[in-house]
Every structure is written in C-alpha cells, then in structure tokens.
RNA sequence: GCCCCCGUAGCUCAGCGGAUAGAGCGCCGGCCUCCGGAGCCGGGUGCGCAGGUUCGAGUCCUGCCGGGGGCACCA
C-alpha cells in the first residue's frame, strides 16, 4: 500500500535528519501519517515536525524543513511524490503524482472482491461470539443488533487478515429452559381440554401456544396421561429443540451464519464448571462465605465479589461463563471477542477479572458492548413486554422491512449510540434511510454498464495507460474516496467499529453520484469512455465490497420509484443479489 | 449512592490529539435534447457547562448538569 511506502520514506528521512537535529534515531516520539481533511493540504500529511520539535529543542517548522530536505534528496519510494511542503504550524504536506490514483483503480480491478482486504493473513485466530440469545423465545430487534454487529465485525476482522470463527452459545439448560418446557406443557394440556395450571412465571408469548399446537398435532393426546416426570422431560427437550430450530431459521433468513454452535449443556457433564472453580481456587481467588463459593472479583477491579456456587449447590451463570472462557482459551484463539448488549455490561469486569485470575492475557479478550434498541412505529413507541410476550419478533420485523434495510440501519450506527428503530422510517425508501442511497448508486452503475453493453460499446481489457484519461476533479475525487477502503477496514477492525464501513459506503456513493453528474460515461471519445467505464466498474466493486462487509446486498437493479416518489413499493421484496458473491465483474 | 454509555446544525447521526468540525432529513433556490432525478449544485459561525493536560482538545483527565443502561446466591 502506498501509505506504507510513504511511511518508510519518511522514517528514512527522519533517521537521516536526526543527527543534525540532535535526536537519537533509536528513541523518537511517535508521529502520524494521515489524510488531511482539506484537499489543499495534499494527499497525505504528517505531524512529525510537531511531534519531534520538543525533543529536538527546535521549532516544529524547522524540524519539518530539515526532514523535508532529506526527503527531497530522493531514495526508495520517492518516485510517487509530486511535491512536499511545510505548512501551518509545522505539518509536512505531501502531494502525490496523479498516477497514484490510477494505481488505486488498478488495485481495485485486480483484487476484485478482495479489494479492501489485507493481502497477507495475520496468521492469527480470533473468535467472535455473538447473538447467544437464550432459546426460550424468538429473536427480537435487540438481538438483531447483536447479530448485525457481530456478523459485520467478523467480516471486517476477516478482511483485516484474521482467521475468524463465529460462535453461538446456547444457554440451553437451567431454570429458564425448564420454565419454557413447563409453559409449553401447560399450553398443550389446555389445548386438549385439560384444566392445567399455567406456571407462575411461565412464558406468555403466543409462540408458546404455537409450539404446543405443533406438538399436539404431531403427538396427539398421548402425553395427557403420561408419567409426569417423563412428560416434563419430553416438553423440555421438545421446547429446546424447536426453539433452537426457530432461532436458527431466523438467523439464516437474516443472513447470519455461525461456524460453531456451543451448548452450555456440554459444560456441566464434562465437569468443566467444577474444574473452572477449582482453577480459580488454586490461583487463590476463591473463598467460602454464607454457604456459597465466591470469586474475589474485587481484586481485579470489580465492584463486588461474585458468587460461583450458590448455597444450594448450583453453579451461577458466572461460573458457567468462566468454564466457557477456559474452553475458549483451550481452543487456541489469539483473541476473543464478546458482543454484548448494554444490559450485560456489568458482567464484563468479573469475566475479565476471571481471565486475569486464571493467568490469561486480559487484553486478548474484547467486549463490544452496544447500546439498546427501542422500537417505534411512526414516531410512537412500540411497547415490548417480556412478561406478556408482547414483543415484535425479528421474523416479523423482517417481514416488514426486509433484511437489507434492517441490517444497514442497525450496522450504520456506532455501538455506543442507542437506536430508536422506527419501522415506518426504515421501511420507507427515502434518504431517511441511507441503505437505498448506497444501493441505488450500485444499481445505477450496473445500469450504465448494461447500457454500454447494449450499445455495443466494448469494454476492452485495461492497461495502465487506460486510466491516464482520468483527469477531471470529480474522477480523481472518486478515486481518492475509493482509495480509502483498505484503511477504513483496518480502522473498523482495530476499533471494533463496523459502522465505519457504512460511512465509507455512503461517501463512496456520493462521490460516484457526483462523478456521474459531471462526467458523461459513454461518449464518442473511445479512450475516455473506456477509462470512465472502468472507473465505474471500480466504484461498483468497492461499493459491493463495503456492502458485503455489512451483509447487505448490492443490487444490479432496483425498482424505479414512480412519479412523486412517495409511493414506497414493497420494501421486503427488494433487491436480493447477494453482495458477498465474489463472482461478479 | 456506585459503575458503564451518551450529550455535536431545527431533527437523526459521523468524526482512533491536528490546520477552516462533516453527512442525511427538513427548509429556500437552481440543474434533465443524452448513460437510472431514489441523483447533482448552492444556501450553515453547532461540539451541554466549568476547570485541567497538550505546541494543538469535539476527541484525553476532573467536577457539575441532562438522558439511557446496569448494580442478584436471575439468566
């Protein structure tokens, strides 16, 4: 990448200038090489003059001048530089030769679906565990945000060279599952005319009745007079089995897949929980009090010590978490990522503490904590009550808004920002909803390429000389924007912030629209037509790659909106071309 | 009370310590003989308040105010 070449050239110039500046080349303050906000400040800018000045005991500008002199003297990597100047308080602004932008297009076309990704693997494994909703009910919007963040982050990490594994953890044992089983059992009996009491804290949702209905249809009345213990067991197992299937089918529909489905039930029988407690005890961080077993979490920055084994002998959820953590580390990951809703953030400190107590490197465990989602419809809050089962399920949401709009809306915002998800707004195909703006840009490009083909404008294979036609400001601005994708991916991975990809996609779409408005693609000028067609193809590729990272489709065409643009034709049946399909172009 | 997140334009939000803080929506005015007008161009002194660190703070630290979430031998 060009940035690396520049950084190297600058580092060499700094090293060369160091003696004269009275600096030790082996002990220099850190400096940055970034893209300036203002185009006039060049293609790249560095603050090294400002950064090194205090240590050199000279003014930032004079330090910058000294380094620039060595930079101008030449050396490897300098052939890209058109001009260098010291500006403002001491920045070094670097203007590159126009050719570098042509190289960007070349890189996009050569790398295709891989453009934006690192060329070399890091050789490191990361596990992203996400969703992990209890199989006691259907997925809802909150878990949808988790699914989108986790999935997009996994994509981004993969693009950043990590070997990624996606995992879903089923909380498929314990009182909540028994509760679900008992709830279905009661509904089953009631459905068949038996006067059965509904559990005190049972699940009221309609899906419980639906499951009971299904089971009744298949098994008939034979469980009415069955042995109570056997019947309890049956409904527990059936409930678990069917809810897991339900959740998996919703995720599939949402375009989210996992490499590993990890059952909590597999921890207990293997003795992993006892082993986990024993390991913490061995490390000296466990004590008994009031009949329970505690982890000294306060020794690791938590508010209070945490119970591992309750006084009734049952392990807590936390104990299982620790056992699961040990299991994960046992699988040789270099890094673990947890995607948790803000309602769980309180559990971060204890789990990180446990990791530390067990001797693991706590910095290899990342928690992506996202703020919660509130549902609205036309500005009115949609009431959600777990108790009454009055929730909007993810399936229902997908029926209304479709996966693309839902995914984009949930992925585009910073995880630190709460989301008011207004079904009406997200369904509307307008700029309230940028997903259509970006998809439209992609479809528009596809259309141009189609028109070119229809008019028998042959798109010939390019050579570097093809791109020399690209000299208009709008063309170069588009290329400048497209050039950012690799850096954006890198940042998104580093900061666990996949929303940056959405931001890029919108900016790239804008840059294309501007280019399209100002530059006619298909003209009588053959050389120019070739260059602009290839530029369009490159923009299409970059947009598709960005959308693909978000798990949003990049349509070849979209339904035209009629007349006044107010009619919003069925969003659910929108574009369905899978963006991630690497086959294209 | 303690912990976490947030407070940026009328609204929704983006901005990993850098120069003149951006985008969409809404509002006003322009732009189609021609490749998709779901588009483009123009119109803008807004970083909650007060201190501090720094050559430089929307960004880091402290306090305050306001909003959301969490503080179980629940999952």
């Amino acid at each position: 990448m060009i940035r690396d070449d520049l950084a190297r050239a600058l580092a060499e110039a700094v090293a060369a200038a160091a003696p004269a500046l009275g600096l030790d080349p082996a002990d220099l303050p850190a400096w940055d090489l970034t893209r300036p906000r203002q185009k006039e400040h060049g293609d790249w800018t560095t603050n090294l003059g400002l950064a090194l000045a205090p240590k050199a005991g000279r003014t930032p500008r004079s330090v910058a001048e000294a380094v620039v002199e060595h930079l101008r003297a030449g050396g490897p990597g300098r052939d890209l530089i058109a001009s260098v100047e010291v500006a403002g308080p001491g920045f070094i602004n670097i203007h590159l030769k126009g050719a570098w932008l042509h190289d960007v297009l070349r890189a996009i076309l050569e790398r295709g679906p891989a453009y934006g990704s690192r060329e070399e693997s890091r050789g490191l494994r990361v596990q992203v565990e996400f969703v992990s909703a209890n199989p006691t009910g259907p997925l809802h919007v909150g878990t949808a945000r988790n699914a989108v963040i986790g999935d997009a982050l996994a994509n981004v990490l993969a693009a950043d060279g990590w070997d990624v594994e996606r995992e879903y953890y089923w909380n498929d044992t314990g009182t909540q599952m028994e509760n679900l089983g008992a709830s279905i059992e009661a509904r089953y009996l009631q459905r068949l005319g038996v006067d059965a009491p509904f559990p005190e804290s049972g699940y009221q949702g309609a899906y419980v009745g639906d499951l009971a209905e299904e089971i009744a249809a298949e098994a008939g009345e034979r469980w009415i007079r069955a042995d109570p213990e056997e019947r309890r067991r049956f409904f527990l197992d059936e409930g678990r089995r069917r809810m897991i299937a339900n959740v998996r089918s919703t995720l599939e529909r949402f375009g989210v897949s996992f490499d590993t489905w990890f059952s909590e039930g597999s921890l207990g029988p293997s003795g992993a929980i006892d082993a986990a407690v024993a390991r913490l005890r061995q490390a000296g961080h466990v004590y008994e009090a009031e009949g329970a077993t505690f982890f000294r979490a306060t020794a690791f920055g938590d508010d209070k010590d945490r119970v591992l084994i309750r006084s009734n002998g049952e392990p807590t959820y936390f104990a299982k978490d620790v056992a699961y953590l040990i299991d994960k580390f046992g699988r040789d990951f270099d890094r673990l990522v947890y995607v948790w809703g803000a309602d769980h953030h309180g559990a971060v400190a204890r789990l990180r503490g446990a990791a530390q107590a067990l001797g693991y490197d706590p910095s290899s465990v990342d928690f992506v904590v996202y703020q919660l989602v509130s549902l609205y419809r036309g500005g009115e809050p949609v009431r959600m009550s777990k108790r009454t089962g009055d929730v909007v399920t993810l399936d229902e949401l997908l029926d209304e808004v479709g996966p693309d709009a839902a995914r984009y809306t949930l992925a585009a915002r910073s995880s630190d920002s709460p989301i008011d998800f207004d079904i009406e707004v997200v369904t509307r195909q307008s700029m309230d909803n940028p997903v259509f703006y970006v998809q439209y840009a992609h479809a528009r490009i596809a259309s141009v390429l189609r028109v070119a083909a229809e008019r028998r404008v042959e798109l010939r294979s390019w050579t570097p000389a093809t791109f020399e036609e690209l000299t208009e400001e709008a063309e170069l601005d588009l290329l400048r924007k497209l050039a950012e994708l690799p850096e954006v991916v890198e940042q998104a991975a580093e900061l666990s912030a996949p929303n940056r990809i959405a931001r890029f996609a919108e900016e790239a779409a804008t840059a294309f629209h501007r280019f399209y408005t100002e530059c006619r693609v298909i003209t009588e000028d053959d050389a120019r037509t070739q260059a602009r067609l290839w530029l369009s193809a490159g923009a299409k590729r970059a947009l598709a790659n960005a959308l693909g990272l978000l798990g949003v489709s990049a349509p070849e065409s979209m339904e035209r909106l009629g007349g006044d643009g107010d009619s919003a034709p069925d969003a659910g049946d929108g574009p369905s071309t899978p963006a991630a399909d690497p086959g294209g172009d």
Side-chain angles (χ1 to χ4, degrees):
Chain A
M1 207 168 25
I2 194 153
R3 186 175 183 279
D4 301 330
D5 295 334
L6 282 178
R8 205 170 308 121
L10 280 168
E12 284 170 18
V14 168
L21 292 169
L23 290 169
D24 175 5
D27 181 30
L28 295 172
W31 45 270
D32 295 323
L33 176 63
T34 56
R35 265 169 213 291
R37 281 189 192 147
Q38 262 79 40
K39 231 181 352 186
E40 305 75 59
H41 293 149
D43 295 301
W44 290 93
T45 188
T46 174
N47 65 346
L48 66 84
L50 296 144
L52 304 187
K55 212 155 199 178
R58 301 175 54 163
T59 66
R61 287 194 68 107
S62 76
V63 173
E65 294 288 0
V67 172
V68 164
E69 219 153 290
H70 282 90
L71 196 64
R72 288 202 181 109
R78 317 296 206 272
D79 51 324
L80 309 154
I81 300 174
S83 69
V84 183
E85 83 235 353
V86 176
F91 293 103
I92 298 174
N93 293 338
I94 300 169
H95 300 260
L96 299 175
K97 292 178 183 161
W100 89 275
L101 284 171
H102 302 151
D103 285 345
V104 167
L105 182 50
R106 182 181 180 168
I108 296 171
L109 296 172
E110 279 175 355
R111 303 206 59 219
Y115 176 69
S117 305
R118 299 173 72 92
E119 299 199 28
E120 49 335 305
S121 158
R122 292 175 178 273
L124 294 174
R125 298 181 65 224
V126 58
Q127 184 213 55
V128 182
E129 185 225 316
F130 62 112
V131 187
S132 299
N134 295 359
T136 53
L139 298 180
H140 59 271
V141 237
T143 46
R145 185 174 195 184
N146 190 312
V148 169
I149 289 175
D151 192 43
L153 181 59
N155 289 337
V156 161
L157 289 171
D160 194 42
W162 292 83
D163 187 359
V164 180
E165 191 164 317
R166 295 149 203 257
E167 183 151 313
Y168 189 118
Y169 177 71
W170 294 110
N171 277 145
D172 55 1
T173 63
T175 50
Q176 292 312 311
M177 289 309 298
E178 279 163 28
N179 207 346
L180 175 71
S183 301
I184 301 170
E185 181 180 7
R187 289 288 184 240
Y188 165 86
L189 292 172
Q190 288 169 356
R191 197 134 309 213
L192 297 178
V194 180
D195 184 23
F198 194 75
E200 185 91 11
S201 52
Y203 289 96
Q204 308 260 2
Y207 66 94
V208 174
D210 296 343
L211 289 176
E213 182 86 49
E214 282 176 35
I215 293 171
E218 289 171 25
E221 304 190 343
R222 71 191 171 92
W223 288 103
I224 293 179
R225 262 172 285 281
D227 168 63
E229 176 52 27
E230 207 174 307
R231 185 170 72 199
R232 189 194 62 80
R233 188 76 231 164
F234 170 79
F235 279 97
L236 173 60
D237 289 344
E238 273 306 289
R240 169 171 34 221
R241 194 174 66 73
R242 287 169 193 263
M243 270 327 304
I244 284 178
N246 171 296
V247 167
R248 288 180 68 147
S249 99
T250 302
L251 286 169
E252 193 171 323
R253 191 176 164 207
F254 202 35
V256 178
S257 61
F258 291 86
D259 301 300
T260 310
W261 305 88
F262 190 97
S263 167
E264 174 198 319
S266 68
L267 288 172
S270 66
I273 297 170
D274 292 341
V277 174
R279 272 190 63 178
L280 284 173
R281 192 188 303 275
Q282 194 146 19
H285 302 296
V286 169
Y287 63 91
E288 317 290 333
E290 302 157 44
T293 302
F294 284 77
F295 167 59
R296 203 180 302 282
T298 49
F300 301 93
D302 199 0
D303 289 349
K304 49 189 82 166
D305 293 340
R306 305 293 173 175
V307 173
L308 289 161
I309 308 292
R310 291 183 256 169
S311 49
N312 66 4
E314 290 291 315
T316 58
Y317 188 87
F318 172 53
K320 296 175 187 173
D321 267 354
V322 176
Y324 183 34
L325 179 77
I326 292 172
D327 187 277
K328 289 183 178 189
F329 270 109
R331 283 185 271 159
D332 276 338
F333 292 109
D334 298 287
R335 179 179 170 194
L336 300 175
V337 178
Y338 288 83
V339 182
W340 281 1
D343 51 343
H344 285 80
H345 91 262
V348 171
R350 75 192 70 155
L351 194 54
R352 184 169 272 149
Q356 210 174 334
L358 291 164
Y360 300 120
D361 175 6
S363 71
S364 65
V365 186
D366 282 346
F367 293 88
V368 177
V369 176
Y370 59 91
Q371 300 301 306
L372 302 179
V373 181
S374 311
L375 253 200
Y376 290 79
R377 189 187 294 278
E380 292 298 312
V382 176
R383 293 254 161 260
M384 301 248 275
S385 162
K386 226 176 194 173
R387 199 181 55 76
T388 61
D390 179 19
V391 297
V392 176
T393 67
L394 177 51
D395 266 324
E396 289 161 351
L397 188 75
L398 291 175
D399 289 341
E400 286 204 58
V401 310
D404 282 345
R407 286 190 70 129
Y408 193 95
T409 303
L410 294 170
R413 278 175 197 67
S414 155
S415 52
D416 281 338
S417 177
I419 294 182
D420 290 339
F421 192 106
D422 194 313
I423 296 174
E424 239 172 59
V425 172
V426 176
T427 308
R428 207 181 304 147
Q429 302 200 10
S430 74
M431 277 310 296
D432 291 336
N433 190 359
V435 65
F436 297 115
Y437 177 79
V438 177
Q439 289 186 320
Y440 175 67
H442 187 270
R444 203 181 196 188
I445 299 171
S447 172
V448 175
L449 297 176
R450 270 197 305 274
V451 169
E454 280 162 18
R455 295 188 187 171
R456 308 242 170 255
V457 177
E458 191 192 350
L459 187 55
R460 297 189 301 277
S461 50
W462 53 269
T463 68
T466 308
F467 308 142
E468 282 167 21
E469 290 289 325
L470 300 173
T471 53
E472 294 289 325
E473 208 46 37
E475 296 170 328
L476 299 178
D477 283 346
L478 174 55
L479 285 170
R480 265 187 268 273
K481 184 51 69 180
L482 300 182
E484 289 178 17
L485 183 58
E487 298 151 42
V488 170
V489 168
E490 197 179 312
Q491 289 169 1
E494 227 164 79
L495 304 172
S496 299
N499 61 303
R500 289 186 178 235
I501 304 294
R503 185 60 43 173
F504 166 83
E506 288 163 36
E507 289 168 356
T510 297
F512 173 77
H513 284 312
R514 193 170 298 158
F515 153 74
Y516 181 85
T517 303
E518 291 180 22
C519 304
R520 196 169 169 76
V521 176
I522 303 166
T523 63
E524 296 302 312
D525 182 334
D526 180 62
R528 173 173 290 178
T529 300
Q530 290 293 319
R532 289 184 174 169
L533 283 172
W534 280 118
L535 174 57
S536 301
K540 180 168 181 275
R541 181 79 266 169
L543 283 172
N545 290 358
L547 287 171
L549 288 170
L550 299 174
V552 175
S553 74
E556 292 296 311
S557 69
M558 295 170 78
E559 256 177 77
R560 282 167 206 261
L561 281 192
D564 54 6
D566 276 345
S567 56
D570 41 344
D573 301 334
S576 56
T577 308
D581 176 5
D585 310 354

